[in-house]
């Protein structure tokens, strides 16, 4: 079975990763916390420009995360298909 480097990387990452919510939050809190703080500041001070920028940035971050997850899922699916086809011939 020949996996591409991307497929190998995704498989290795899936094996090594801890899929818990706690682990995911520990990775992303440096990005989320400042934006969340800016949003809270914007609400408290009625500064709608800062509030808009913070929420827009959070939305961009979520879209980026979903895009990266979709790409990884595609590589993982391709690797699993190759694994399934290699086991069919056995």
């Amino acid at each position: 079975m020949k996996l591409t480097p991307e497929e190998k990387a995704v498989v290795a990452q899936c094996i090594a990763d801890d899929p818990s919510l706690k682990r995911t939050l520990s990775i992303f809190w440096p990005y989320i916390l400042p934006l969340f703080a800016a949003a809270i500041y914007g609400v408290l001070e009625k500064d709608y420009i800062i509030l808009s920028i913070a929420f827009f940035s959070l939305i961009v971050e979520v879209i980026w995360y979903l895009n990266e997850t979709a790409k990884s899922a595609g590589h993982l699916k391709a690797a699993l298909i190759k694994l399934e086809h290699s086991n069919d011939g056995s």
Side-chain angles (χ1 to χ4, degrees):
M1 170 172 56
K2 300 230 185 232
L3 297 178
T4 67
E6 293 85 5
E7 292 166 351
K8 288 179 184 178
V10 169
V11 170
Q13 182 181 0
C14 285
I15 292 170
D17 269 354
D18 174 13
S20 69
L21 179 62
K22 181 180 177 183
R23 172 72 174 138
T24 303
L25 288 176
S26 71
I27 293 170
F28 287 102
W29 76 265
Y31 306 105
I32 295 171
L33 191 61
L35 296 173
F36 187 70
I40 296 297
Y41 173 82
V43 168
L44 294 176
E45 296 295 319
K46 295 189 184 351
D47 188 340
Y48 299 114
I49 293 174
I50 291 178
L51 181 62
S52 299
I53 291 170
F55 280 119
F56 177 75
S57 299
L58 283 170
I59 289 170
V60 167
E61 190 170 321
V62 166
I63 291 170
W64 171 83
Y65 178 76
L66 293 174
N67 183 46
E68 291 299 313
T69 302
K71 283 196 286 188
S72 293
H75 293 305
L76 182 59
K77 182 178 179 180
L80 292 173
I81 289 171
K82 288 179 182 179
L83 176 65
E84 180 68 24
H85 287 298
S86 71
N87 287 338
D88 286 343
S90 301

Coordinates of all heavy atoms in Angstrom, one line a residue:
M1 N 0.9 -1.2 0.0 CA 0.0 0.0 0.0 C 0.9 1.2 0.0 O 1.8 1.4 0.8 CB -0.9 0.0 1.2 CG -1.7 1.2 1.5 SD -2.9 1.2 2.8 CE -2.0 0.7 4.2
K2 N 0.7 2.1 -1.0 CA 1.5 3.3 -1.1 C 0.7 4.5 -0.7 O -0.3 4.9 -1.3 CB 2.0 3.5 -2.5 CG 2.8 2.3 -3.0 CD 4.1 2.8 -3.6 CE 4.8 1.7 -4.2 NZ 6.1 1.6 -3.8
L3 N 1.0 5.1 0.4 CA 0.4 6.3 0.9 C 1.2 7.6 0.5 O 2.4 7.5 0.5 CB 0.2 6.3 2.4 CG -0.7 5.2 3.0 CD1 -0.7 5.3 4.5 CD2 -2.1 5.3 2.5
T4 N 0.5 8.6 0.2 CA 1.2 9.9 -0.1 C 1.7 10.4 1.2 O 1.3 10.0 2.3 CB 0.2 10.9 -0.7 OG1 -0.8 11.3 0.3 CG2 -0.4 10.4 -2.0
P5 N 2.7 11.4 1.2 CA 3.2 12.0 2.4 C 2.1 12.6 3.3 O 2.1 12.6 4.5 CB 4.2 13.0 1.9 CG 4.6 12.5 0.6 CD 3.4 11.8 0.0
E6 N 1.1 13.3 2.6 CA 0.0 13.9 3.3 C -0.8 12.8 4.0 O -1.2 13.0 5.2 CB -0.9 14.7 2.4 CG -0.2 15.9 1.8 CD 0.6 15.6 0.5 OE1 0.5 14.5 0.0 OE2 1.2 16.5 0.0
E7 N -1.1 11.7 3.4 CA -1.9 10.7 4.0 C -1.1 10.1 5.2 O -1.7 9.8 6.2 CB -2.2 9.6 3.0 CG -3.2 10.1 1.9 CD -3.2 9.1 0.7 OE1 -2.4 8.2 0.6 OE2 -4.1 9.4 -0.2
K8 N 0.2 9.9 5.0 CA 1.0 9.3 6.1 C 1.0 10.3 7.3 O 0.9 9.9 8.5 CB 2.4 9.1 5.7 CG 2.6 7.9 4.7 CD 4.0 7.8 4.3 CE 4.2 6.7 3.3 NZ 5.6 6.5 2.9
A9 N 1.1 11.6 7.0 CA 1.1 12.6 8.1 C -0.3 12.6 8.9 O -0.3 12.7 10.1 CB 1.4 14.0 7.5
V10 N -1.4 12.5 8.1 CA -2.7 12.5 8.8 C -2.9 11.3 9.6 O -3.4 11.3 10.7 CB -3.8 12.7 7.7 CG1 -5.2 12.4 8.3 CG2 -3.7 14.1 7.1
V11 N -2.5 10.1 9.1 CA -2.6 8.9 9.8 C -1.8 8.9 11.1 O -2.2 8.6 12.2 CB -2.2 7.6 9.0 CG1 -2.1 6.4 9.8 CG2 -3.2 7.4 7.9
A12 N -0.5 9.4 11.0 CA 0.3 9.5 12.2 C -0.2 10.5 13.2 O -0.2 10.3 14.4 CB 1.7 10.0 11.7
Q13 N -0.8 11.6 12.7 CA -1.4 12.6 13.6 C -2.6 12.0 14.3 O -2.8 12.2 15.5 CB -1.8 13.8 12.8 CG -2.4 14.9 13.7 CD -2.8 16.2 12.9 OE1 -2.6 16.2 11.7 NE2 -3.3 17.1 13.6
C14 N -3.5 11.3 13.6 CA -4.6 10.6 14.2 C -4.2 9.6 15.3 O -4.9 9.5 16.3 CB -5.5 9.9 13.1 SG -6.4 11.1 12.1
I15 N -3.2 8.9 15.0 CA -2.7 7.9 16.0 C -2.2 8.6 17.3 O -2.4 8.2 18.4 CB -1.7 7.0 15.4 CG1 -2.3 6.1 14.3 CG2 -1.0 6.2 16.5 CD1 -1.3 5.3 13.5
A16 N -1.5 9.7 17.1 CA -0.8 10.4 18.2 C -1.7 11.4 18.9 O -1.4 11.6 20.1 CB 0.4 11.2 17.6
D17 N -2.7 11.9 18.3 CA -3.5 12.9 18.9 C -4.5 12.4 20.0 O -4.9 11.3 20.0 CB -4.4 13.6 17.9 CG -3.7 14.8 17.3 OD1 -2.6 15.2 17.7 OD2 -4.3 15.4 16.3
D18 N -4.7 13.3 21.0 CA -5.7 13.1 22.0 C -7.0 13.9 21.5 O -6.9 15.1 21.4 CB -5.3 13.7 23.3 CG -6.3 13.6 24.4 OD1 -7.3 13.0 24.2 OD2 -6.1 14.3 25.4
P19 N -8.0 13.2 21.1 CA -9.2 13.9 20.5 C -10.1 14.6 21.5 O -11.2 15.0 21.1 CB -9.9 12.7 19.8 CG -9.6 11.6 20.7 CD -8.2 11.8 21.2
S20 N -9.7 14.7 22.7 CA -10.6 15.3 23.7 C -10.8 16.8 23.5 O -10.0 17.5 22.9 CB -10.1 15.1 25.1 OG -8.9 15.8 25.3
L21 N -11.9 17.3 24.0 CA -12.2 18.7 24.0 C -11.2 19.5 24.8 O -10.8 20.6 24.3 CB -13.6 19.0 24.5 CG -14.1 20.5 24.5 CD1 -14.1 21.1 23.1 CD2 -15.4 20.6 25.2
K22 N -10.8 19.0 25.9 CA -9.8 19.7 26.7 C -8.5 19.9 25.9 O -7.9 21.0 26.0 CB -9.5 18.8 27.9 CG -8.5 19.4 28.9 CD -8.2 18.5 30.1 CE -7.2 19.1 31.0 NZ -6.9 18.2 32.1
R23 N -8.0 18.9 25.2 CA -6.8 19.0 24.4 C -7.0 20.1 23.3 O -6.1 20.9 23.0 CB -6.4 17.7 23.8 CG -5.3 17.7 22.8 CD -4.0 18.0 23.5 NE -2.9 17.9 22.5 CZ -1.9 18.7 22.4 NH1 -1.7 19.6 23.3 NH2 -1.0 18.5 21.4
T24 N -8.1 20.0 22.6 CA -8.4 21.0 21.5 C -8.4 22.4 22.1 O -7.8 23.3 21.5 CB -9.7 20.7 20.8 OG1 -9.7 19.3 20.4 CG2 -10.0 21.6 19.7
L25 N -9.1 22.6 23.2 CA -9.1 24.0 23.8 C -7.7 24.4 24.2 O -7.4 25.6 24.1 CB -10.1 24.0 25.0 CG -11.6 23.9 24.6 CD1 -12.4 23.9 25.8 CD2 -11.9 25.1 23.7
S26 N -6.9 23.5 24.7 CA -5.5 23.8 25.2 C -4.7 24.3 24.0 O -3.8 25.1 24.2 CB -4.9 22.7 25.9 OG -4.5 21.6 25.0
I27 N -5.0 23.8 22.8 CA -4.2 24.2 21.6 C -4.7 25.6 21.1 O -3.9 26.4 20.7 CB -4.4 23.2 20.5 CG1 -3.7 21.9 20.9 CG2 -3.9 23.7 19.2 CD1 -4.0 20.7 19.9
F28 N -6.0 25.8 21.1 CA -6.6 27.0 20.5 C -6.9 28.2 21.5 O -7.2 29.3 21.0 CB -7.8 26.7 19.7 CG -7.5 25.9 18.5 CD1 -7.7 24.5 18.4 CD2 -7.1 26.5 17.4 CE1 -7.4 23.8 17.3 CE2 -6.8 25.8 16.2 CZ -7.0 24.5 16.2
W29 N -6.7 28.0 22.8 CA -7.0 29.1 23.7 C -6.2 30.4 23.4 O -6.7 31.5 23.6 CB -7.0 28.7 25.2 CG -5.6 28.6 25.7 CD1 -4.9 27.4 25.8 CD2 -4.8 29.6 26.3 NE1 -3.7 27.7 26.4 CE2 -3.6 29.0 26.7 CE3 -5.0 31.0 26.5 CZ2 -2.6 29.8 27.3 CZ3 -4.0 31.7 27.1 CH2 -2.8 31.1 27.5
P30 N -4.9 30.3 23.0 CA -4.2 31.6 22.8 C -4.8 32.4 21.6 O -4.6 33.6 21.6 CB -2.8 31.1 22.4 CG -2.7 29.7 22.9 CD -4.1 29.1 22.9
Y31 N -5.5 31.8 20.7 CA -6.2 32.5 19.6 C -7.6 32.9 20.0 O -8.0 34.0 19.6 CB -6.3 31.6 18.4 CG -4.9 31.0 18.0 CD1 -4.6 29.6 18.3 CD2 -4.0 31.8 17.4 CE1 -3.4 29.1 17.9 CE2 -2.7 31.2 17.0 CZ -2.5 29.9 17.3 OH -1.2 29.4 17.0
I32 N -8.3 32.1 20.8 CA -9.7 32.4 21.1 C -9.8 33.4 22.2 O -10.6 34.3 22.2 CB -10.4 31.1 21.4 CG1 -10.5 30.2 20.2 CG2 -11.8 31.4 21.9 CD1 -11.0 28.8 20.5
L33 N -9.0 33.3 23.3 CA -9.1 34.1 24.5 C -9.0 35.6 24.2 O -9.9 36.4 24.6 CB -8.2 33.7 25.5 CG -8.4 34.3 26.9 CD1 -9.7 33.9 27.5 CD2 -7.3 33.8 27.9
P34 N -8.0 36.1 23.4 CA -7.9 37.5 23.2 C -9.1 38.1 22.4 O -9.6 39.2 22.6 CB -6.6 37.7 22.4 CG -5.8 36.5 22.7 CD -6.8 35.4 22.9
L35 N -9.6 37.3 21.4 CA -10.7 37.7 20.6 C -12.0 37.7 21.5 O -12.8 38.7 21.4 CB -10.9 36.8 19.4 CG -9.8 36.8 18.4 CD1 -10.0 35.7 17.4 CD2 -9.7 38.2 17.8
F36 N -12.1 36.8 22.4 CA -13.3 36.7 23.3 C -13.2 37.9 24.2 O -14.2 38.6 24.5 CB -13.3 35.4 24.0 CG -14.5 35.2 24.9 CD1 -15.7 35.0 24.3 CD2 -14.4 35.3 26.3 CE1 -16.9 34.8 25.1 CE2 -15.6 35.1 27.0 CZ -16.8 34.9 26.4
A37 N -12.0 38.2 24.7 CA -11.8 39.4 25.6 C -12.2 40.7 24.9 O -12.8 41.6 25.5 CB -10.4 39.4 26.2
A38 N -11.8 40.8 23.7 CA -12.1 42.0 22.9 C -13.6 42.1 22.7 O -14.2 43.2 22.7 CB -11.4 42.0 21.5
A39 N -14.3 41.0 22.4 CA -15.7 41.0 22.2 C -16.4 41.5 23.5 O -17.3 42.3 23.5 CB -16.2 39.6 21.8
I40 N -16.0 40.9 24.7 CA -16.5 41.3 25.9 C -16.3 42.8 26.2 O -17.2 43.6 26.6 CB -15.9 40.5 27.1 CG1 -16.3 39.0 26.9 CG2 -16.4 41.0 28.5 CD1 -17.8 38.7 27.0
Y41 N -15.1 43.3 25.9 CA -14.8 44.7 26.0 C -15.7 45.6 25.2 O -16.3 46.6 25.6 CB -13.3 45.0 25.7 CG -13.0 46.5 25.7 CD1 -12.7 47.2 26.8 CD2 -13.0 47.2 24.4 CE1 -12.4 48.5 26.8 CE2 -12.7 48.5 24.4 CZ -12.4 49.2 25.6 OH -12.1 50.5 25.5
G42 N -15.9 45.1 23.9 CA -16.8 45.8 23.0 C -18.2 45.9 23.5 O -18.9 46.9 23.3
V43 N -18.7 44.8 24.1 CA -20.1 44.8 24.7 C -20.2 45.8 25.8 O -21.1 46.6 25.9 CB -20.5 43.4 25.1 CG1 -21.7 43.4 25.9 CG2 -20.7 42.5 23.8
L44 N -19.2 45.7 26.8 CA -19.2 46.5 28.0 C -19.1 48.0 27.7 O -19.7 48.8 28.3 CB -18.2 46.0 29.0 CG -18.4 44.6 29.5 CD1 -17.2 44.3 30.4 CD2 -19.7 44.5 30.3
E45 N -18.2 48.3 26.7 CA -18.0 49.7 26.4 C -18.8 50.2 25.3 O -18.7 51.4 24.8 CB -16.5 49.9 26.1 CG -15.5 49.6 27.2 CD -15.7 50.6 28.3 OE1 -15.9 51.8 28.1 OE2 -15.7 50.1 29.5
K46 N -19.7 49.4 24.7 CA -20.5 49.7 23.6 C -19.7 50.2 22.4 O -20.1 51.1 21.7 CB -21.6 50.7 24.0 CG -22.6 50.2 25.0 CD -23.7 51.1 25.2 CE -24.7 50.8 26.2 NZ -24.8 49.6 26.9
D47 N -18.6 49.6 22.2 CA -17.7 49.8 21.1 C -17.9 48.8 20.0 O -17.4 47.7 20.0 CB -16.2 49.8 21.6 CG -15.2 50.3 20.5 OD1 -15.6 50.3 19.3 OD2 -14.1 50.6 20.9
Y48 N -18.8 49.1 19.1 CA -19.3 48.2 18.1 C -18.2 47.8 17.1 O -18.3 46.8 16.5 CB -20.6 48.6 17.5 CG -21.7 48.8 18.6 CD1 -22.2 50.0 18.9 CD2 -22.1 47.7 19.3 CE1 -23.2 50.2 19.9 CE2 -23.1 47.8 20.3 CZ -23.6 49.0 20.6 OH -24.5 49.2 21.5
I49 N -17.3 48.7 16.9 CA -16.2 48.4 15.9 C -15.3 47.3 16.4 O -15.1 46.3 15.7 CB -15.4 49.7 15.6 CG1 -16.3 50.7 14.9 CG2 -14.1 49.3 14.8 CD1 -15.6 52.0 14.6
I50 N -14.9 47.4 17.7 CA -14.1 46.3 18.3 C -14.9 45.0 18.4 O -14.4 43.9 18.1 CB -13.6 46.7 19.7 CG1 -12.5 47.8 19.5 CG2 -13.0 45.5 20.4 CD1 -12.0 48.4 20.8
L51 N -16.1 45.1 18.8 CA -17.0 44.0 18.9 C -17.1 43.3 17.5 O -17.0 42.1 17.4 CB -18.4 44.4 19.4 CG -19.4 43.3 19.6 CD1 -19.0 42.3 20.6 CD2 -20.7 43.9 20.0
S52 N -17.3 44.1 16.5 CA -17.5 43.5 15.1 C -16.2 42.8 14.6 O -16.2 41.7 14.1 CB -17.9 44.6 14.1 OG -19.1 45.2 14.5
I53 N -15.1 43.5 14.9 CA -13.8 42.9 14.5 C -13.5 41.6 15.3 O -13.1 40.6 14.7 CB -12.6 43.9 14.8 CG1 -12.7 45.1 13.8 CG2 -11.3 43.2 14.7 CD1 -11.8 46.2 14.1
A54 N -13.8 41.6 16.5 CA -13.6 40.4 17.3 C -14.5 39.2 16.8 O -14.0 38.1 16.6 CB -13.9 40.6 18.8
F55 N -15.7 39.5 16.6 CA -16.6 38.4 16.1 C -16.3 38.0 14.7 O -16.3 36.8 14.4 CB -18.1 38.8 16.3 CG -18.6 38.6 17.7 CD1 -19.1 39.7 18.4 CD2 -18.6 37.3 18.3 CE1 -19.5 39.5 19.7 CE2 -19.0 37.2 19.6 CZ -19.5 38.3 20.3
F56 N -15.9 38.9 13.8 CA -15.5 38.6 12.5 C -14.2 37.7 12.5 O -14.1 36.7 11.8 CB -15.2 39.8 11.7 CG -14.7 39.6 10.3 CD1 -15.6 39.1 9.3 CD2 -13.4 39.7 10.0 CE1 -15.1 38.8 8.0 CE2 -12.9 39.5 8.7 CZ -13.8 39.0 7.7
S57 N -13.3 38.1 13.4 CA -12.1 37.3 13.5 C -12.4 35.9 14.1 O -11.8 34.9 13.6 CB -11.1 38.0 14.5 OG -10.7 39.2 14.0
L58 N -13.3 35.7 15.0 CA -13.7 34.4 15.5 C -14.3 33.6 14.4 O -14.0 32.4 14.3 CB -14.7 34.6 16.7 CG -14.0 34.9 18.0 CD1 -15.1 35.3 19.0 CD2 -13.2 33.8 18.5
I59 N -15.1 34.2 13.6 CA -15.8 33.5 12.5 C -14.7 33.0 11.5 O -14.7 31.9 11.0 CB -16.8 34.4 11.8 CG1 -18.0 34.5 12.7 CG2 -17.3 33.8 10.4 CD1 -19.1 35.6 12.2
V60 N -13.7 33.9 11.2 CA -12.7 33.5 10.2 C -11.9 32.4 10.8 O -11.5 31.4 10.1 CB -11.7 34.7 10.0 CG1 -10.5 34.3 9.3 CG2 -12.5 35.8 9.1
E61 N -11.6 32.4 12.1 CA -10.9 31.3 12.7 C -11.6 30.0 12.7 O -11.1 28.9 12.4 CB -10.6 31.7 14.2 CG -9.6 30.7 14.8 CD -9.2 31.2 16.2 OE1 -8.9 32.4 16.4 OE2 -9.0 30.3 17.1
V62 N -12.9 30.0 12.9 CA -13.8 28.8 12.8 C -13.8 28.3 11.4 O -13.6 27.1 11.2 CB -15.2 29.1 13.3 CG1 -16.1 28.0 12.9 CG2 -15.2 29.3 14.8
I63 N -13.9 29.2 10.4 CA -13.9 28.7 9.0 C -12.6 28.1 8.7 O -12.5 27.0 8.0 CB -14.3 29.9 8.1 CG1 -15.7 30.3 8.3 CG2 -14.0 29.5 6.6 CD1 -16.1 31.5 7.6
W64 N -11.5 28.7 9.1 CA -10.1 28.2 8.9 C -10.0 26.8 9.5 O -9.5 25.8 8.8 CB -9.0 29.1 9.4 CG -7.7 28.5 9.4 CD1 -6.8 28.4 8.3 CD2 -7.0 27.8 10.5 NE1 -5.7 27.7 8.7 CE2 -5.8 27.3 10.0 CE3 -7.4 27.5 11.8 CZ2 -4.9 26.6 10.8 CZ3 -6.5 26.8 12.6 CH2 -5.3 26.3 12.1
Y65 N -10.4 26.6 10.7 CA -10.4 25.3 11.4 C -11.2 24.3 10.7 O -10.7 23.1 10.5 CB -10.8 25.5 12.9 CG -10.8 24.2 13.6 CD1 -9.6 23.7 14.1 CD2 -12.0 23.5 13.9 CE1 -9.6 22.5 14.8 CE2 -12.0 22.3 14.5 CZ -10.8 21.8 15.0 OH -10.8 20.6 15.7
L66 N -12.4 24.6 10.3 CA -13.2 23.6 9.5 C -12.6 23.3 8.2 O -12.6 22.1 7.8 CB -14.6 24.2 9.3 CG -15.4 24.4 10.6 CD1 -16.8 25.1 10.3 CD2 -15.7 23.1 11.3
N67 N -12.0 24.2 7.5 CA -11.3 23.9 6.3 C -10.1 23.0 6.5 O -10.0 22.0 5.7 CB -10.8 25.2 5.6 CG -10.2 25.0 4.3 OD1 -10.7 24.3 3.4 ND2 -9.1 25.6 4.0
E68 N -9.3 23.2 7.5 CA -8.2 22.4 7.7 C -8.6 21.0 8.1 O -8.0 20.0 7.8 CB -7.3 23.0 8.8 CG -6.5 24.2 8.4 CD -5.6 23.9 7.2 OE1 -4.8 23.0 7.3 OE2 -5.6 24.7 6.3
T69 N -9.7 20.9 8.9 CA -10.3 19.6 9.3 C -10.8 18.8 8.1 O -10.6 17.6 8.0 CB -11.4 19.8 10.3 OG1 -10.9 20.5 11.5 CG2 -12.0 18.5 10.8
A70 N -11.4 19.5 7.2 CA -11.9 18.9 6.0 C -10.8 18.3 5.1 O -10.9 17.2 4.6 CB -12.8 19.9 5.2
K71 N -9.7 19.1 5.0 CA -8.6 18.6 4.2 C -8.0 17.4 4.9 O -7.6 16.4 4.2 CB -7.5 19.7 4.1 CG -7.8 20.8 3.1 CD -6.6 21.6 2.7 CE -6.3 22.6 3.8 NZ -5.2 23.5 3.4
S72 N -7.8 17.4 6.2 CA -7.2 16.2 6.9 C -8.2 15.0 6.8 O -7.7 13.9 6.6 CB -7.0 16.6 8.4 OG -6.0 17.5 8.5
A73 N -9.5 15.3 6.8 CA -10.4 14.2 6.7 C -10.3 13.6 5.3 O -10.4 12.4 5.1 CB -11.8 14.7 7.0
G74 N -10.1 14.4 4.3 CA -9.9 13.9 2.9 C -8.7 13.0 2.8 O -8.8 11.9 2.2
H75 N -7.6 13.4 3.4 CA -6.4 12.6 3.3 C -6.6 11.3 4.1 O -6.2 10.2 3.7 CB -5.2 13.3 3.9 CG -4.8 14.5 3.1 ND1 -4.4 14.4 1.7 CD2 -4.6 15.8 3.4 CE1 -4.1 15.6 1.2 NE2 -4.2 16.5 2.2
L76 N -7.2 11.4 5.3 CA -7.5 10.2 6.1 C -8.4 9.2 5.3 O -8.2 8.0 5.3 CB -8.1 10.6 7.4 CG -8.4 9.4 8.4 CD1 -7.1 8.6 8.7 CD2 -9.0 9.9 9.6
K77 N -9.4 9.7 4.7 CA -10.4 8.9 3.9 C -9.6 8.2 2.8 O -9.8 7.0 2.5 CB -11.5 9.7 3.3 CG -12.5 8.9 2.6 CD -13.7 9.7 2.1 CE -14.6 8.9 1.3 NZ -15.8 9.7 0.8
A78 N -8.7 8.9 2.1 CA -8.0 8.3 1.0 C -7.1 7.2 1.5 O -7.0 6.1 0.9 CB -7.1 9.4 0.3
A79 N -6.5 7.4 2.7 CA -5.6 6.4 3.3 C -6.4 5.2 3.7 O -6.0 4.0 3.5 CB -4.9 7.0 4.5
L80 N -7.6 5.4 4.3 CA -8.4 4.3 4.7 C -9.0 3.5 3.5 O -9.1 2.3 3.5 CB -9.6 4.8 5.5 CG -9.2 5.3 6.9 CD1 -10.4 6.0 7.6 CD2 -8.6 4.2 7.8
I81 N -9.3 4.2 2.4 CA -9.7 3.5 1.2 C -8.6 2.6 0.6 O -8.8 1.5 0.2 CB -10.2 4.5 0.1 CG1 -11.5 5.1 0.5 CG2 -10.3 3.9 -1.3 CD1 -11.9 6.3 -0.3
K82 N -7.4 3.1 0.6 CA -6.2 2.3 0.2 C -6.0 1.1 1.1 O -5.7 0.0 0.6 CB -5.0 3.2 0.2 CG -4.9 4.2 -1.0 CD -3.7 5.0 -0.9 CE -3.7 6.0 -2.1 NZ -2.5 6.9 -2.0
L83 N -6.2 1.3 2.4 CA -6.1 0.2 3.3 C -7.1 -0.8 3.1 O -6.9 -2.0 3.0 CB -6.2 0.7 4.8 CG -6.2 -0.3 5.9 CD1 -4.8 -1.1 5.9 CD2 -6.5 0.3 7.2
E84 N -8.4 -0.4 2.8 CA -9.5 -1.3 2.6 C -9.2 -2.1 1.3 O -9.5 -3.3 1.2 CB -10.8 -0.5 2.5 CG -12.0 -1.4 2.2 CD -12.4 -2.3 3.4 OE1 -12.0 -2.0 4.5 OE2 -13.0 -3.3 3.1
H85 N -8.8 -1.4 0.2 CA -8.5 -2.1 -1.0 C -7.3 -3.1 -0.9 O -7.3 -4.1 -1.6 CB -8.3 -1.1 -2.2 CG -9.5 -0.4 -2.6 ND1 -10.6 -1.0 -3.1 CD2 -9.9 0.9 -2.5 CE1 -11.6 -0.1 -3.4 NE2 -11.1 1.0 -3.0
S86 N -6.3 -2.7 -0.1 CA -5.2 -3.7 0.1 C -5.6 -4.9 0.8 O -5.1 -6.0 0.6 CB -4.0 -3.0 0.8 OG -4.3 -2.7 2.1
N87 N -6.6 -4.8 1.7 CA -7.1 -5.9 2.5 C -8.0 -6.8 1.7 O -8.2 -8.0 2.0 CB -7.8 -5.5 3.8 CG -6.8 -5.0 4.8 OD1 -5.6 -5.3 4.8 ND2 -7.3 -4.1 5.7
D88 N -8.7 -6.2 0.6 CA -9.6 -7.0 -0.2 C -8.8 -8.1 -1.0 O -9.4 -9.2 -1.2 CB -10.3 -6.1 -1.2 CG -11.4 -5.3 -0.5 OD1 -11.8 -5.6 0.6 OD2 -11.8 -4.3 -1.2
G89 N -7.6 -7.8 -1.4 CA -6.8 -8.8 -2.1 C -6.2 -9.9 -1.3 O -5.7 -10.9 -1.8
S90 N -6.3 -9.8 0.0 CA -5.7 -10.8 0.9 C -6.5 -12.1 1.0 O -7.7 -12.1 1.0 CB -5.5 -10.2 2.3 OG -4.7 -9.1 2.2

